[in-house]
Amino acid sequence: MTAPMLARVANTVYWMSRYVERAENTARFIDVNLQLTLDRTGGINAQWMPLVSIAGAEKAFIERYKEPTRDNVLHFLTLDPDYPNSIFSCVAAARENARTVRETITTEMWEQVNELYHVMRNAQPEFLSHHFYRGAKRTAMLFTAITDNAMSRTLGWDFAQLGRMLERADNTSRILDVKYFLLLPTPEDVGSNLDVIQWRALLHSTDALEMYRQTYGPITPRNVADFLVLNRDFPRSMAFCLYRAARALTRIRGDDAHHSPNLVRRRLGQLQSDLEYATIDEVIGQGMHEYLDGFQTRLNQIGDAVNAAFFQPRDREEAEPSEPKGTPAATS
Amino acid sequence: MRLQPYRLADAFDELITENGRPRPAAEALSRRLATLPDGELVKKQAAAESALFEAGITFSVYGNGDDPANTERIIPFDVVPRIIPGAEWDRLEQGLIQRITALNHFVEDVYHERRIIKEGVVPEQFVELNQPTWAACRNIRPPGDVWCHISGIDLVRDRQGEFRVLEDNLRCPSGVSYVLENRRVLKQTFPHVFGELNVRSVDDYPDQLLQTLQSLAHDAVDRPCVVVMTPGIYNSAYFEHAYLAQQMGVPLVQGSDLIVHDGYVQMRTTAGLSRVDVVYRRIDDAFLDPKAFRPDSMLGVPGIMDVYRKGRVAIANAPGTGIADNKVIYAFVPDMIRFYLDTDPILQNVDTFLCAREKDRQHVLANLAELVVKPAHEAGGKGIVIGPHASQETLDKAAADIQADPANFIAQPVLSLSTVPTICDEAIAPRHVDLRPYILMGSQGCHVIAGGLTRVALREGSLIVNSSQGGGTKDTWVVDPSPFRADFAPPGMSQSQSQSTGGGDA
């Protein structure tokens, strides 16, 4: 257990990290879709609406853009300052958070998030290409790399790590959900004739293709799901992310194994062991979409509990708060 | 690019003598500039500014519409440094320490014995002891009787080349982060010149600041918890608050992070409350404690003044220090030096007329067109009327204002601020500068940063250096004679070859 940090600062670092991760993931799945459209086999019926679905923003999109054309979807997800989860909005929020905690993060981290912001600010709609998204993804990854290589493993890093891993687990589950739903609307379709290119794209957007190959070889929907949900070694799988999130949480709380776990630990521990002991056939049997939907709901509840346990300033040590109400604030 | 042709302004130039030669301390820089191909200096200028922008060393500008991008700018930075010879600096440093020591005595005195008033050196009418904020600070004893922990004293150089004090900033002087960052960037811009010259370092400022702040903690505290307190990210100096906290490795807090609990100031952490021993606050006294001062302050900590009075938290600068920070008290500082220190001032003031004095007022009103009139309690160049540049209408209004409220105005002769060569539209031309050195005063003594912030008026002929009114900054080099000369080293000798001679005293 390291020295305590300001609750406000912990909250800000946590969200800074989540926003950068969210921006990176959005750049990832847009980039893959762009590449699919270049590929004749996959590009004939290039679909753009699924990207909006991954982000869970159908309503917001339809209200303002009507047609899910390439340009509309790209603008909405990338540059729209009024859509709070566009890459631009996430990056701007991450930078604003970083600005508030400049004394806690390192100069290099600040310069990197600042650069990311200026890349997005200067982006022109006509240049939203593979090159652009690859650049955005790399600039965001560099921020994460600097964080990991420059910050002492004290509370600041732990909260950044907790935020990043919860966000990544959520993003992987969303990418999987939409693709799975689109490609295989019912569990009975498992084993049907599949479009390998689309599945490849799914793996690609999580940078998982090569690692998947090394583990499983041929691409099957079942194995892809297994890899992204339950694999313990792949750093973007849901199980891996939860394992790392739980580890960060243990460090934040100190070694309190002898005390009854608080709400955050209970919720996170339960979800993590569900993943640890599940088999992919059980998951598919429940219905993939239902399973992932439940997963996202439980992640939100963990977010609520993190907020209540660490970020709400308490003037004296009180008993653990009861079940917090409301949804997590999407902003810090 | 060359310094010549360089048309001197009607003022003392910091780098170039009257016959157009570089001053001795500026020779190396001048040689280096002469070797730069055309356009190179302008490129260096652009690179330096973009380095500052990338580092996010920006200040906020208000009232520029809704686009958030408009609200952030860097202060223009000019890559040609201002150079001060070390020997001259040493004398300045002594003068600054002398001045701040006397001011500290004054603050201590007016809140306790008031000797200086009783003995008639400073008339009571000029000391605003009844102002509510200052009244609340009577009879408080800050640790070590130090009040003015962090100060910035503005200096200008007159036509004869003599430094004079223009203003004492004892509240929350800002700008030191620019000194440190300008130096960092300029080292990248002119690495060879730095290698050749013996420029005094400014990099130890954060350490000195931390030591100063730690020295204020109660002796019983083993590892004092120091925090920097900011009004928040919308404050124009927020970058500096965060920067100093980061450089010192201490928390940056807002008022809402702090609470008075169990008789101490505590901060709200992820693991509950944690005690704070020293607060370097970058907010004004009036906002510090809504219970003691302005009740509508959302920035402060309710009850912090009670804790402070009991000696359970230190606050820098001490609340109440501002009583000595106005343009009227300024006029008495040379007298304070004689009174408290029994010695003559090393640094001279600018001649100052106090409009509250009948005789001075008559003189000011009769000579408005030749004088600079300043409100006594404004900062940042606000409300200043420069006689020779003002319209008759402005002068008439100034005269009316003075007659309505004489105590609120002072006047000074128009100064000829010194100039430094500055890049202007791809050429180099003289621009007027001032200098703000920062002085730290802890329980153990004083420290003055080597040089300080040089502010430059970028418009031709302008004497207003404030960043809010088109001013920029320069790096300030205090240069000592080099202990060795480059041509003494045998050709080809390098670090690695000289290792074999190691082992002896360096």
Side-chain angles (χ1 to χ4, degrees):
Chain A
M1 180 85 170
T2 52
M5 78 190 295
L6 285 175
R8 174 181 57 80
V9 171
N11 187 10
T12 308
V13 169
Y14 170 88
W15 277 105
M16 172 190 73
S17 172
R18 284 196 79 145
Y19 279 124
V20 172
E21 183 69 26
R22 192 175 293 175
E24 182 195 322
N25 278 288
T26 306
R28 274 169 191 283
F29 64 68
I30 295 176
D31 184 28
V32 168
N33 218 55
L34 270 175
Q35 295 204 61
L36 269 180
T37 63
L38 300 178
D39 197 316
R40 215 182 291 165
T41 328
I44 295 170
N45 298 312
Q47 300 188 66
W48 290 97
M49 200 55 195
L51 297 194
V52 178
S53 308
I54 290 176
E58 293 94 336
K59 194 160 163 281
F61 178 82
I62 296 295
E63 272 171 12
R64 300 218 302 287
Y65 290 81
K66 315 280 187 294
E67 290 300 309
T69 62
R70 173 188 185 276
D71 288 355
N72 280 349
V73 170
L74 287 189
H75 186 268
F76 176 70
L77 291 176
T78 311
L79 300 178
D80 193 335
D82 297 323
Y83 170 50
N85 289 323
S86 71
I87 301 180
F88 172 76
S89 297
C90 286
V91 165
R95 177 175 180 264
E96 195 68 359
N97 281 331
R99 228 162 89 78
T100 323
V101 294
R102 280 193 65 159
E103 81 294 351
T104 303
I105 62 176
T106 69
T107 301
E108 289 242 292
M109 285 170 71
W110 161 252
E111 290 188 0
Q112 190 58 33
V113 76
N114 202 32
E115 182 184 329
L116 183 57
Y117 171 78
H118 288 300
V119 166
M120 296 313 304
R121 231 195 99 65
N122 298 328
Q124 300 298 322
E126 57 272 30
F127 295 118
L128 296 181
S129 60
H130 164 61
H131 182 73
F132 172 81
Y133 289 104
R134 189 160 174 269
K137 188 176 92 178
R138 293 195 154 210
T139 315
M141 289 173 85
L142 194 48
F143 175 81
T144 304
I146 293 172
T147 305
D148 282 352
N149 285 293
M151 269 186 108
S152 294
R153 294 306 190 258
T154 50
L155 277 181
W157 187 83
D158 290 329
F159 276 107
Q161 172 79 348
L162 180 64
R164 182 200 303 164
M165 287 300 153
L166 292 178
E167 183 68 31
R168 187 181 291 172
D170 178 80
N171 281 282
T172 299
S173 79
R174 283 172 189 277
I175 293 173
L176 186 59
D177 192 14
V178 170
K179 286 288 179 186
Y180 219 93
F181 188 70
L182 271 179
L183 298 175
L184 289 172
T186 64
E188 293 78 50
D189 290 336
V190 176
S192 67
N193 217 6
L194 57 100
D195 184 352
V196 174
I197 289 175
Q198 290 280 0
W199 288 102
R200 271 178 60 105
L202 169 58
L203 288 169
H204 212 69
S205 65
T206 48
D207 273 355
L209 182 58
E210 283 131 3
M211 291 298 126
Y212 172 89
R213 289 280 194 209
Q214 288 176 19
T215 309
Y216 286 109
I219 292 174
T220 71
R222 177 190 175 278
N223 287 350
V224 171
D226 186 49
F227 193 70
L228 292 180
V229 179
L230 300 179
N231 188 285
R232 294 182 189 188
D233 303 317
F234 180 64
R236 307 198 82 82
S237 82
M238 289 151 54
F240 182 95
C241 293
L242 283 192
Y243 172 65
R244 286 304 171 97
R247 226 164 67 168
L249 187 63
T250 305
R251 290 172 47 90
I252 290 168
R253 291 283 301 178
D255 185 16
D256 58 359
H258 298 293
H259 300 94
S260 62
N262 68 340
L263 189 63
V264 191
R265 273 192 81 162
R266 263 197 334 269
R267 284 183 175 169
L268 184 52
Q270 284 165 358
L271 186 54
Q272 192 213 336
S273 50
D274 280 359
L275 284 177
E276 202 167 337
Y277 297 109
T279 67
I280 196 62
D281 296 322
E282 286 168 11
V283 169
I284 293 172
Q286 285 179 35
M288 196 64 177
H289 174 68
E290 289 72 18
Y291 181 83
L292 294 173
D293 208 40
F295 179 80
Q296 286 160 20
T297 305
R298 289 171 76 181
L299 273 185
N300 281 346
Q301 289 168 348
I302 292 169
D304 289 348
V306 167
N307 184 49
F310 302 117
F311 305 151
Q312 298 309 317
R314 276 166 286 149
D315 291 348
R316 59 191 75 206
E317 276 303 332
E318 290 160 4
E320 276 303 328
S322 53
E323 299 279 319
K325 295 174 182 69
T327 50
T331 57
S332 66
Chain B
M1 180 173 269
R2 291 167 178 281
L3 284 179
Q4 288 86 8
Y6 177 74
R7 192 188 294 268
L8 287 170
D10 181 22
F12 181 91
D13 194 273
E14 302 274 341
L15 300 192
I16 307 294
T17 63
E18 277 166 26
N19 44 29
R21 301 287 314 150
R23 294 184 190 280
E27 270 170 10
L29 176 72
S30 171
R31 273 200 307 277
R32 174 73 188 138
L33 292 180
T35 64
L36 293 178
D38 276 353
E40 182 67 17
L41 193 60
V42 176
K43 266 192 221 157
K44 282 181 180 289
Q45 173 81 23
E49 290 202 328
S50 105
L52 291 170
F53 188 74
E54 277 159 26
I57 302 168
T58 53
F59 69 100
S60 312
V61 185
Y62 298 108
N64 274 293
D66 296 331
D67 185 355
N70 278 344
T71 62
E72 266 179 58
R73 306 240 180 93
I74 60 162
I75 292 185
F77 172 60
D78 187 85
V79 292
V80 182
R82 184 242 204 101
I83 298 178
I84 302 173
E88 186 171 15
W89 175 257
D90 290 338
R91 190 185 142 268
L92 268 184
E93 187 176 300
Q94 290 312 308
L96 293 165
I97 291 174
Q98 179 193 55
R99 190 166 176 105
I100 207 67
T101 305
L103 278 162
N104 194 69
H105 278 300
F106 174 75
V107 179
E108 171 75 13
D109 188 17
V110 294
Y111 286 125
H112 296 96
E113 298 171 48
R114 303 189 213 173
R115 278 201 305 129
I116 200 161
I117 297 171
K118 288 174 192 157
E119 299 189 21
V121 178
V122 179
E124 186 158 18
Q125 64 174 122
F126 295 126
V127 187
E128 304 172 301
L129 279 167
N130 295 324
Q131 205 245 63
T133 307
W134 310 148
C137 299
R138 280 187 207 166
N139 300 319
I140 294 180
R141 287 219 174 267
D145 291 337
V146 179
W147 298 71
C148 314
H149 308 105
I150 300 114
S151 320
I153 292 187
D154 291 350
L155 304 171
V156 295
R157 230 202 251 256
D158 64 16
R159 200 181 300 268
Q160 285 68 43
E162 192 191 349
F163 276 105
R164 287 173 179 268
V165 178
L166 190 61
E167 206 169 291
D168 306 293
N169 299 286
L170 307 178
R171 297 165 201 242
C172 304
S174 63
V176 74
S177 57
Y178 297 106
V179 176
L180 304 178
E181 281 297 295
N182 287 354
R183 175 62 55 85
R184 183 180 66 84
V185 167
L186 213 61
K187 274 184 184 163
Q188 296 163 12
T189 310
F190 293 121
H192 299 292
V193 185
F194 272 96
E196 201 177 326
L197 281 179
N198 201 2
V199 180
R200 288 195 199 172
S201 175
V202 294
D203 295 347
D204 63 339
Y205 182 82
D207 298 273
Q208 297 284 354
L209 178 60
L210 182 59
Q211 281 175 31
T212 301
L213 293 169
Q214 284 176 336
S215 79
L216 309 179
H218 197 281
D219 289 341
V221 180
D222 187 25
R223 286 189 59 190
C225 173
V226 175
V227 300
V228 177
M229 181 175 176
T230 175
I233 61 168
Y234 298 109
N235 185 272
S236 60
Y238 174 76
F239 161 72
E240 176 157 305
H241 307 162
Y243 181 86
L244 291 174
Q246 181 194 46
Q247 294 295 310
M248 291 190 288
V250 306
L252 177 68
V253 304
Q254 300 174 5
S256 57
D257 295 322
L258 300 182
I259 182 174
V260 171
H261 184 71
D262 278 350
Y264 287 92
V265 175
Q266 317 240 17
M267 59 180 177
R268 296 165 155 140
T269 77
T270 54
L273 297 179
S274 174
R275 194 169 121 188
V276 171
D277 303 299
V278 181
V279 179
Y280 175 24
R281 46 87 180 220
R282 294 292 297 254
I283 70 175
D284 283 342
D285 297 83
F287 295 96
L288 197 53
D289 183 349
K291 280 190 178 168
F293 306 121
R294 277 180 65 153
D296 61 337
S297 170
M298 306 293 285
L299 307 172
V301 185
I304 192 174
M305 280 300 286
D306 280 341
V307 183
Y308 173 66
R309 274 192 205 99
K310 291 182 181 130
R312 291 172 161 189
V313 70
I315 300 178
N317 285 351
T321 305
I323 197 168
D325 177 348
N326 67 61
K327 296 181 172 71
V328 174
I329 296 299
Y330 155 87
F332 291 98
V333 176
D335 297 330
M336 283 176 206
I337 292 170
R338 292 186 198 96
F339 182 74
Y340 293 115
L341 308 178
D342 196 21
T343 176
D344 285 324
I346 299 170
L347 295 173
Q348 304 304 316
N349 269 11
V350 175
D351 299 333
T352 302
F353 303 100
L354 302 179
C355 295
R357 286 179 172 153
E358 174 68 26
K359 201 170 136 236
D360 286 14
R361 184 165 66 246
Q362 295 313 329
H363 175 84
V364 170
L365 290 171
N367 297 282
L368 264 186
E370 281 86 56
L371 294 171
V372 181
V373 176
K374 300 179 176 180
H377 302 280
E378 294 284 357
K382 249 187 258 172
I384 291 183
V385 176
I386 299 178
H389 299 179
S391 66
Q392 189 57 45
E393 195 186 343
T394 311
L395 291 178
D396 291 344
K397 184 172 180 307
D401 288 346
I402 291 171
Q403 275 161 333
D405 185 10
N408 197 33
F409 292 94
I410 61 127
Q412 292 166 338
V414 180
L415 292 172
S416 151
L417 268 56
S418 60
T419 57
V420 178
T422 301
I423 299 174
C424 306
D425 298 332
E426 319 226 332
I428 292 186
R431 289 292 181 267
H432 295 289
V433 295
D434 79 348
L435 177 64
R436 176 180 289 182
Y438 298 86
I439 304 110
L440 299 175
M441 186 185 230
S443 303
Q444 322 293 333
C446 289
H447 172 82
V448 184
I449 197 167
L453 183 66
T454 291
R455 299 186 296 178
V456 53
L458 294 171
R459 275 194 301 272
E460 186 171 6
S462 169
L463 298 171
I464 308 272
V465 296
N466 303 82
S467 61
S468 54
Q469 302 193 30
T473 67
K474 283 171 169 289
D475 194 11
T476 312
W477 294 359
V478 175
V479 174
D480 290 312
S482 203
F484 61 92
R485 279 175 49 190
D487 49 357
F488 283 172
M493 184 167 165
S494 75
Q495 288 282 334
S496 58
Q497 285 167 325
S498 68
Q499 271 185 1
S500 56
T501 65
D505 289 337

